[in-house]
Amino acid sequence: MSYRVIALDLDGTLLTPQKTILPESITALHRAREAGVKVVIVTGRHHVAIHPFYQALALDTPAICCNGTYLYDYQAKKVLESDSLRAEQATQLIDLLDAHRVHGLMYVDDAMLYLDSSDHVKAHVTRTQNWAQSLPEAQRPVFRSVASLKQAAQEVDSIWKFALTDADIPKLRQFTLAVESELNLACEWSWHDQVDVAQRGNSKGARLAQWVKSQGIPLNEVIAFGDNYNDLSMLESVGMGVAMGNADEAIKARADMTIGTNLETGIAETIYKYVL
């Protein structure tokens, strides 16, 4: 099989725990692009939190962001396709968050918003901002503190998703059941302690399939790399789905193959073996 597209999750996959890309991966992906292969980022991240990685890879493809909620063109600086949450859906979700005492970030237009009264989320934001200080200012993720998420939901143009975190995992699991049954929204685990809530029907696999079709390329000519449950929709739909060695066993079982962890050079080795 000849693979014409490489689809890459970021956290836990292309990125090391230190949020860097292995030089071996950069070289292999550069050679793949020189050979005419399209490289596309498929991530749970907001587009404002991808800049350093997109630029390190010198990409020209749009990025699939927030687990497939939208397709972002970095060259034109605009959203090409999207299916965002409606303001009334966000308001209902915020009420449910308050009732269950769960905190999180609201991903909107060009920023990630959080309550200025939420110490739990502030700690998460602070960790990310500390990492971001090593980046040029234009590449830093954009966070904004707000007094009311409900009010902010009425003022923005697009609400991409909510990213919820809690140290109490059983509590978070119970909350996802409430969201799915009461609000009919989609919940996907993007990290061991993070659940993303978005419009039902959005997924990495669905948006990737849409974009690949627009390029005139069949899905079986795509190789995808991922490590978490929000990656399954693309790992199971492409020609070859590759799970990272640091993925849960359930992810590995549903992928076509498993390689080394995100600290090892498995991505580069797989590209040389199956793509180049």
Side-chain angles (χ1 to χ4, degrees):
M1 173 61 67
S2 175
Y3 296 107
R4 298 165 62 191
V5 175
I6 300 171
L8 293 154
D9 169 53
L10 289 177
D11 295 284
T13 301
L14 183 65
L15 303 184
T16 69
Q18 291 73 41
K19 308 305 179 188
T20 60
I21 305 175
L22 295 175
E24 292 87 353
S25 296
I26 292 177
T27 299
L29 290 165
H30 178 69
R31 290 183 181 175
R33 290 191 63 229
E34 286 183 327
V37 177
K38 295 181 182 295
V39 176
V40 59
I41 288 174
V42 187
T43 181
R45 288 182 177 233
H46 195 298
H47 71 267
V48 298
I50 302 174
H51 288 294
F53 318 119
Y54 189 90
Q55 293 172 13
L57 298 175
L59 299 182
D60 57 6
T61 49
I64 294 171
C65 304
C66 289
N67 299 325
T69 296
Y70 66 106
L71 184 68
Y72 187 77
D73 184 332
Y74 274 94
Q75 279 64 46
K77 296 183 179 180
K78 68 176 184 179
V79 174
L80 300 177
E81 302 283 349
S82 69
D83 189 11
S84 57
L85 291 166
R86 300 187 302 276
E88 61 267 28
Q89 290 176 307
T91 298
Q92 292 172 340
L93 179 57
I94 293 164
D95 285 337
L96 203 59
L97 286 167
D98 292 341
H100 287 257
R101 297 184 179 180
V102 174
H103 304 287
L105 294 163
M106 185 168 75
Y107 287 44
V108 303
D109 303 332
D110 59 356
M112 292 162 283
L113 310 183
Y114 64 98
L115 282 178
D116 55 19
S117 60
S118 174
D119 291 335
H120 179 77
V121 176
K122 279 182 184 176
H124 170 74
V125 170
T126 299
R127 286 195 299 271
T128 305
Q129 288 179 325
N130 288 340
W131 161 76
Q133 293 307 308
S134 65
L135 304 172
E137 188 172 354
Q139 292 186 358
R140 294 172 188 169
V142 181
F143 292 99
R144 286 206 297 269
S145 171
V146 296
S148 169
L149 288 177
K150 278 189 176 181
Q151 181 178 341
Q154 302 299 322
E155 296 171 348
V156 299
D157 292 325
S158 299
I159 303 167
W160 306 126
K161 75 168 187 178
F162 282 73
L164 316 178
T165 61
D166 200 294
D168 188 340
I169 305 303
K171 171 185 171 183
L172 208 50
R173 292 190 185 281
Q174 283 297 117
F175 181 74
T176 63
L177 295 176
V179 171
E180 291 173 336
S181 62
E182 297 178 30
L183 304 183
N184 196 34
L185 297 176
C187 297
E188 287 193 302
W189 290 83
S190 57
W191 205 243
H192 66 91
D193 62 351
Q194 179 172 311
V195 172
D196 296 336
V197 182
Q199 194 69 266
R200 185 168 293 280
N202 287 330
S203 71
K204 291 185 175 185
R207 192 67 68 185
L208 177 62
Q210 180 190 49
W211 179 74
V212 167
K213 183 179 180 181
S214 75
Q215 302 301 299
I217 300 172
L219 265 178
N220 64 0
E221 294 184 10
V222 179
I223 182 171
F225 297 83
D227 75 305
N228 222 314
Y229 289 90
N230 62 336
D231 297 315
L232 281 174
S233 60
M234 70 170 179
L235 295 181
E236 294 185 318
S237 63
V238 299
M240 181 179 285
V242 183
M244 303 302 294
N246 47 283
D248 285 353
E249 292 304 316
I251 309 299
K252 296 176 184 177
R254 293 167 65 176
D256 295 306
M257 66 177 293
T258 300
I259 58 174
T261 72
N262 57 336
L263 282 169
E264 300 172 278
T265 57
I267 289 178
E269 292 164 6
T270 303
I271 290 171
Y272 290 129
K273 182 174 181 179
Y274 292 100
V275 181
L276 297 176

